[in-house]
């Protein structure tokens, strides 16, 4: 690894949407970025190619964050190969939306396993190395739905609300070693995760947003860049809302 890359960043679910925008921004800020993916290798490779075209450096790493043992193994390999992990972005997430009365256990378990257990699995894997480094930045992607709820998303809302509690507790534990743990709570962001919404539903959402527009993945990436910087070294345990005013 070239000496210019003093910070190693791992972005889970980094092959698309918010994760991709965050990976590109962290690389632009000078980090060596490991782009995690679970299925779409070509998309992850495309992100790294884009990083390198812009003059940065990165790599891909395939693992499912919901799998505890595999996550521990793969993150340890990243630490050994690249000399540490300084920045962890827990971004990987899925949805299985349906009304509670129709929701089956599989719908519940899949979302909790990826969205909430995945945050634990990845954070657990980097904790010791960050403590030895006496420096770290952990950012967990929650959601406005985890704060205000949303019909048809009890599983998703529960997973994202759980991330908030996890963030606040972990922040207290890690603060003595100069590790900050914060959450970002996006509102309605234009990504492929909401492509399935009908035009009518999208219109209804827009009408509820005081700023009158969807957010972009780059809006989230900008906040990540700040929270991972030295300027944010005294901020921990916070939930930063990036939602256009829909929930304050």
């Amino acid at each position: 690894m070239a000496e210019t890359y003093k910070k190693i960043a791992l972005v889970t679910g980094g092959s698309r949407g918010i994760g991709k925008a965050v990976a590109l921004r962290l690389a632009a800020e000078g980090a060596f970025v490991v782009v995690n993916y679970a299925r779409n290798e070509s998309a992850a490779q495309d992100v790294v190619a884009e990083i390198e075209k812009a003059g940065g450096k990165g790599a891909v790493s395939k693992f499912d964050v919901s799998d505890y043992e595999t996550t521990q193994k793969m993150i340890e390999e990243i630490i050994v190969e690249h000399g540490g992990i300084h920045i962890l972005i827990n971004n990987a997430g899925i949805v299985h939306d349906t009304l509670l009365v129709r929701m089956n256990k599989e719908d519940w378990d899949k979302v909790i396993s990826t969205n909430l257990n995945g945050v634990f699995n990845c954070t657990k894997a980097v904790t010791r190395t960050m403590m030895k480094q006496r420096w770290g930045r952990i950012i967990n992607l929650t959601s406005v739905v985890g704060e205000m709820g949303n019909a048809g998303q009890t599983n998703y809302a529960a997973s994202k609300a759980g991330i908030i509690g996890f963030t606040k507790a972990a922040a207290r534990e890690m603060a003595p070693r100069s590790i900050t743990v914060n959450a970002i709570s996006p509102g309605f962001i234009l990504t492929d995760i909401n492509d399935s919404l009908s035009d009518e539903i999208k219109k209804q959402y827009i009408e509820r947003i005081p700023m009158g527009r969807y957010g972009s993945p780059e809006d989230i990436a900008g906040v990540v860049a700040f929270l991972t910087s030295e300027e944010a070294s005294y901020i921990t345990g916070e939930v930063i809302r990036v939602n256009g005013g829909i929930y304050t």
Side-chain angles (χ1 to χ4, degrees), residues 11-20 35-38 65 89-93:
V11 181
T12 70
S15 65
R16 59 191 176 89
I18 290 173
K20 176 182 177 179
V35 178
N36 158 259
Y37 70 98
V65 300
I89 312 299
N90 282 311
N91 168 73

Side-chain angles (χ1 to χ4, degrees), residues 14-228:
S15 65
R16 59 191 176 89
I18 290 173
K20 176 182 177 179
V22 168
L24 294 173
R25 180 60 184 267
L26 289 176
E29 298 292 328
F32 181 101
V33 181
V34 179
V35 178
N36 158 259
Y37 70 98
R39 286 172 293 276
N40 195 338
E41 180 179 4
S42 63
Q45 293 285 8
D46 286 346
V47 175
V48 172
E50 195 169 337
I51 286 171
E52 294 181 343
K53 184 178 180 181
K57 189 70 175 174
V60 300
S61 180
K62 179 182 180 180
F63 61 91
D64 184 338
V65 300
S66 70
D67 184 324
Y68 177 81
E69 297 297 339
T70 299
T71 297
Q72 305 310 295
K73 176 178 179 291
M74 295 304 296
I75 289 181
E76 181 59 28
E77 288 184 7
I78 293 168
I79 292 168
V80 170
E81 181 175 356
H82 300 292
I85 290 178
H86 304 88
I87 298 167
L88 170 65
I89 312 299
N90 282 311
N91 168 73
I94 62 171
V95 294
H96 279 280
D97 295 348
T98 189
L99 293 174
L100 179 59
V101 69
R102 297 173 185 161
M103 187 175 294
N104 58 42
K105 188 174 184 299
E106 185 179 13
D107 292 329
W108 176 269
D109 287 345
K110 279 185 176 180
V111 171
I112 297 296
S113 291
T114 296
N115 297 6
L116 183 55
N117 293 355
V119 170
F120 165 76
N121 294 343
C122 293
T123 305
K124 171 72 174 175
V126 304
T127 298
R128 288 189 185 278
T129 192
M130 284 189 177
M131 291 178 74
K132 288 178 183 177
Q133 293 164 177
R134 300 192 71 86
W135 197 95
R137 298 286 187 267
I138 299 171
I139 299 175
N140 303 320
L141 271 294
T142 179
S143 168
V144 67
V145 172
E147 298 188 88
M148 70 180 192
N150 196 37
Q153 291 190 303
T154 52
N155 49 3
Y156 187 76
S159 70
K160 293 300 186 176
I163 288 171
I164 293 172
F166 178 92
T167 297
K168 291 180 177 294
R172 289 180 176 272
E173 291 185 22
M174 298 186 194
R177 296 297 182 98
S178 299
I179 301 165
T180 66
V181 187
N182 291 290
I184 297 176
S185 180
F188 297 107
I189 307 296
L190 279 177
T191 67
D192 57 3
I193 203 169
N194 54 35
D195 279 348
S196 60
L197 297 175
S198 68
D199 289 341
E200 180 59 31
I201 294 296
K202 289 178 181 177
K203 181 174 179 292
Q204 290 175 17
Y205 284 159
I206 286 286
E207 291 172 351
R208 292 165 57 191
I209 301 170
M211 292 196 75
R213 67 172 179 87
Y214 284 106
S216 72
E218 289 72 25
D219 290 325
I220 308 303
V223 180
V224 169
F226 170 66
L227 288 176
T228 56

